[in-house]
Amino acid sequence: MNPSLIHELDLTISRIIEAPRSAVWNAWTDPASFEQWWVPAPAKCRVLEMDLRPGGAFTTQISEDGGEFARHINGCFLAVDHLERIVFTNSLVGGWRPAENPFMSAIITLADHPQGTEYVAHVMHKNNADRNMHEEMGFADGWGTVIAQLAALVER
Amino acid sequence: MNPSLIHELDLTISRIIEAPRSAVWNAWTDPASFEQWWVPAPAKCRVLEMDLRPGGAFTTQISEDGGEFARHINGCFLAVDHLERIVFTNSLVGGWRPAENPFMSAIITLADHPQGTEYVAHVMHKNNADRNMHEEMGFADGWGTVIAQLAALVER
């Protein structure tokens, strides 16, 4: 994992995953695979909606202890470019409606790399306070952990 | 003007414009034309950014009295379907970044009609309070006035 900042409002994390782009793409876009890596174990993820098109709903839940599931992401996909890019936000919900708890937009990019795939998650905030809060909430550990889980899943 | 509600969180206004869709589309997408109808006269509109693609910035200013220009829209286009549909929000700014003052998303649709073009503006809010505030701020008069101005411009 190699977090680096490229904007005072943003947080970025990247990792070389030793698997082809198609494998990484499939792990992202198949809900059953996505649930296996999107939250740090032993927490569990449940995908309620993953409508992969601009304006499509993206809704997930999390169970911290294997018990009750609580709201995690309630967002909207903004761009879906096959094998290349997924953009989503929690500032909108499905159908592009404004969200109750807007906070971030994320651009996920996949690029060919000599060792496999370069996976980059670039997360945008509205101001420096939100960015810093996200960093203090453990952005690097959290997103780093789940990218490692994604890598472990597809590098098998 | 024919405002009608189609969702408890939404506001909608539509009008038959006696001009071809291409003329209405051009009045929307050419900044010099757009400035002539987007705010109720005698207020003036200035387009700072109109980057008509998903993620593109949409930034306008308004001068109520012909003097100093103030912020009006600071938003982002979400979908741009030639001659058919424009979707934008002020919950995001250019590049899909979360916005400081999220409030609404709008879907503008153009459809063929025996008398010309059916123009529909469908505006979505995050909750009923925002929707009602927008209605009380004068949604029907405001959006109705500017659609009438758009019609007057293209029906010439």
Side-chain angles (χ1 to χ4, degrees), chain B residues 91-113:
Chain B
S91 292
L92 302 171
V93 297
W96 294 301
R97 181 178 301 282
E100 286 284 355
N101 299 295
F103 181 63
M104 66 167 185
S105 297
I107 300 177
I108 309 295
T109 51
L110 278 57
D112 287 336
H113 184 275

Side-chain angles (χ1 to χ4, degrees), chain B:
Chain B
M1 102 192 64
N2 174 31
S4 64
L5 307 182
I6 66 169
H7 188 292
E8 64 176 3
L9 302 181
D10 298 348
L11 294 164
T12 300
I13 196 162
S14 66
R15 182 181 175 116
I16 307 305
I17 297 177
E18 294 181 358
R21 275 201 291 160
S22 59
V24 179
W25 181 264
N26 291 340
W28 223 108
T29 56
D30 172 59
S33 298
F34 185 85
E35 289 177 346
Q36 293 178 54
W37 65 269
W38 182 244
V39 302
K44 304 281 187 192
C45 171
R46 183 189 281 169
V47 173
L48 299 187
E49 295 176 283
M50 183 184 271
D51 185 6
L52 284 155
R53 58 191 173 91
F58 180 31
T59 316
T60 67
Q61 293 180 324
I62 190 169
S63 163
E64 300 286 355
D65 56 5
E68 196 168 350
F69 280 83
R71 170 192 183 123
H72 190 216
I73 292 177
N74 192 11
C76 179
F77 291 105
L78 297 168
V80 180
D81 302 320
H82 186 63
L83 298 178
E84 292 185 359
R85 186 175 70 157
I86 294 170
V87 184
F88 69 91
T89 189
N90 69 0
S91 292
L92 302 171
V93 297
W96 294 301
R97 181 178 301 282
E100 286 284 355
N101 299 295
F103 181 63
M104 66 167 185
S105 297
I107 300 177
I108 309 295
T109 51
L110 278 57
D112 287 336
H113 184 275
Q115 290 158 260
T117 300
E118 182 183 24
Y119 182 96
V120 180
H122 180 74
V123 182
M124 300 180 286
H125 307 87
K126 63 179 173 296
N127 55 38
N128 199 248
D130 276 12
R131 178 220 166 273
N132 291 346
M133 182 173 75
H134 201 180
E135 187 170 45
E136 285 155 21
M137 282 164 60
F139 171 80
D141 278 355
W143 286 66
T145 296
V146 307
I147 293 175
Q149 291 179 170
L150 167 59
L153 182 68
V154 296
E155 288 174 353
R156 273 176 192 165

